[in-house]
């Protein structure tokens, strides 16, 4: 009877940045990472035997308690079919987001035509999904910035003076890394200044924005990317801005694969975590001086 050599695992980098998966391994795979698993030589050899590969989630019975893999892995590539005897000595999996934080046991059984042998390895997928939520200030990404209201434009028609209190644009930036599948989030924007109209624009590249978005809703995004939400606030005659204006964007329900929350949600520096249960960036427009009308004597 042939000996079944040590189960070998290797990472196969997919279209995701290799930097993202630099620490992903076959036994500690990042979600959305693709890995190969094989025995007896190089991946794809048959060595004259047949092999059957399966996964168990039952530690007390790895041999006969065979799991349905559809909820946590996708069988990919040119390796063996799942739980089917064949001549290929390896199998390839992409680990789904729902697998994060669980333990799976990959089992292979070799049959050399006379006898069988069996090996197993424990696999613990790692949540690699991180999000950074920042406000975009006048000098770059920041947290909860403050600034003055837009400049006022003045025009006159005869003796009548007209004031244009300006339009402010306030950008929020949401960056996701460590995934290639779809992720989604809910957002809710609030403006503390009554009478100002608000319009939210949505952008993937930060240059071309949609128009007319609701001030609350949800977005679905594909893979590791950066999303921008730009709030355009038009100040009217009743919103001169002599009171401070607080504009808050709150995120909730951030999920990849519809099931898995980010491992970390960072503030603008990409290293400081949000504290508590609220993920919010507030941009504050400071109050203008309450200048009275010009008096004469």
């Amino acid at each position: 009877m042939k000996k079944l050599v040590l189960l070998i695992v290797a990472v196969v980098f997919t279209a995701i940045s290799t930097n993202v998966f630099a620490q992903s391994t076959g036994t500690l795979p990042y979600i959305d990472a693709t890995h190969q698993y094989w025995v007896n030589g190089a991946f794809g050899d048959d060595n004259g035997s047949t092999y059957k590969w399966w996964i168990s989630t039952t530690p007390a019975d790895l041999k006969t308690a065979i799991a349905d893999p559809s909820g946590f892995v996708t069988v990919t590539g040119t390796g063996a079919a799942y739980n089917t005897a064949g001549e290929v000595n390896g199998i390839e999996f992409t680990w789904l987001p729902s697998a994060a934080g669980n333990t799976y046991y990959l089992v292979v059984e070799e049959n050399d035509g006379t006898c069988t042998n069996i090996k197993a390895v424990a696999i613990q997928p790692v949540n690699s999904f991180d999000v950074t939520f920042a406000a975009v200030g006048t000098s770059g990404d920041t947290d909860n910035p403050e600034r003055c209201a837009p400049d006022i434009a003045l025009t006159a028609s005869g003796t009548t003076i007209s004031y244009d209190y300006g339009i402010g644009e306030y950008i929020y930036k949401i960056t996701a890394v460590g995934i290639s599948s779809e992720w989604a989030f809910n957002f809710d924007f609030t403006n503390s200044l009554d009478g100002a109209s608000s319009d939210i624009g949505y952008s993937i590249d930060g240059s071309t924005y949609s128009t007319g978005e609701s001030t609350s809703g949800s977005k679905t995004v594909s893979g590791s990317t950066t999303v921008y939400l730009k709030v355009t606030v038009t100040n009217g005659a009743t919103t001169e801005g002599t009171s401070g204006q607080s504009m808050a964007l709150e995120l909730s329900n951030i999920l990849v694969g519809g099931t898995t929350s980010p491992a970390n949600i960072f503030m603008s520096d990409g290293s400081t975590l949000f504290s508590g249960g609220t993920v919010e960036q507030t941009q504050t427009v400071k109050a203008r001086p309450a200048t009275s009308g010009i008096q004469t004597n």
Side-chain angles (χ1 to χ4, degrees):
M1 181 180 70
K2 292 185 178 180
K3 286 186 177 180
L4 194 60
V5 300
L6 179 66
L7 188 66
I8 301 172
V9 293
V11 65
V12 176
F13 292 110
T14 60
I16 302 174
S17 166
T18 54
N19 289 331
V20 172
F21 288 142
Q23 297 179 0
S24 182
T25 67
T27 54
L28 294 171
Y30 287 2
I31 57 174
D32 280 342
T34 299
H35 288 264
Q36 292 177 338
Y37 304 81
W38 70 91
V39 293
N40 300 350
F43 180 84
D45 292 345
D46 60 49
N47 297 295
S49 295
T50 60
Y51 304 87
K52 183 186 288 188
W53 296 83
W54 68 86
I55 290 173
S56 178
T57 57
T58 307
D61 181 12
L62 304 184
K63 187 171 182 179
T64 64
I66 299 173
D68 175 357
S70 59
F72 52 86
V73 295
T74 300
V75 182
T76 59
T78 59
Y82 185 81
N83 194 31
T84 302
E87 295 181 350
V88 181
N89 70 331
I91 196 166
E92 184 175 286
F93 295 132
T94 297
W95 292 92
L96 302 180
S98 56
N102 300 311
T103 299
Y104 302 91
Y105 301 94
L106 176 61
V107 183
V108 59
E109 182 181 73
E110 180 183 5
N111 187 328
D112 66 1
T114 302
C115 299
T116 62
N117 197 0
I118 195 166
K119 293 288 184 183
V121 65
I123 300 171
Q124 296 177 309
V126 177
N127 187 352
S128 53
F129 177 33
D130 286 344
V131 168
T132 300
F133 180 35
V136 179
T138 54
S139 58
D141 294 356
T142 187
D143 296 305
N144 305 312
E146 294 184 351
R147 58 170 152 158
C148 292
D151 289 340
I152 299 173
L154 289 175
T155 58
S157 177
T159 59
T160 301
I161 307 297
S162 297
Y163 297 85
D164 183 341
Y165 291 101
I167 297 174
E169 293 184 342
Y170 309 94
I171 298 174
Y172 300 85
K173 182 177 178 182
I174 308 157
T175 302
V177 298
I179 51 169
S180 63
S181 54
E182 284 190 343
W183 58 283
F185 63 93
N186 294 345
F187 65 91
D188 184 38
F189 172 76
T190 55
N191 182 354
S192 68
L193 191 60
D194 292 335
S197 62
S198 302
D199 180 79
I200 286 187
Y202 171 73
S203 175
I204 292 294
D205 59 9
S207 60
T208 303
Y209 288 84
S210 62
T211 59
E213 298 277 350
S214 171
T215 54
S216 63
S218 62
K219 289 295 176 186
T220 299
V221 190
S222 180
S224 296
T225 191
T226 297
V227 179
Y228 298 85
L229 289 174
K230 179 172 70 175
V231 181
T232 303
V233 178
T234 303
N235 294 301
T238 60
T239 56
E240 180 180 354
T242 53
S243 297
Q245 183 176 350
S246 173
M247 296 173 296
L249 184 68
E250 182 174 316
L251 303 183
S252 61
N253 243 19
I254 307 172
L255 297 172
V256 59
T259 59
T260 305
S261 300
N264 302 292
I265 304 178
F266 296 108
M267 301 180 76
S268 65
D269 62 3
S271 61
T272 303
L273 291 168
F274 278 90
S275 60
T278 300
V279 182
E280 181 179 281
Q281 287 283 0
T282 299
Q283 302 201 43
T284 301
V285 178
K286 295 185 288 187
R288 290 190 179 99
T291 308
S292 70
I294 297 175
Q295 308 295 307
T296 69
N297 60 11

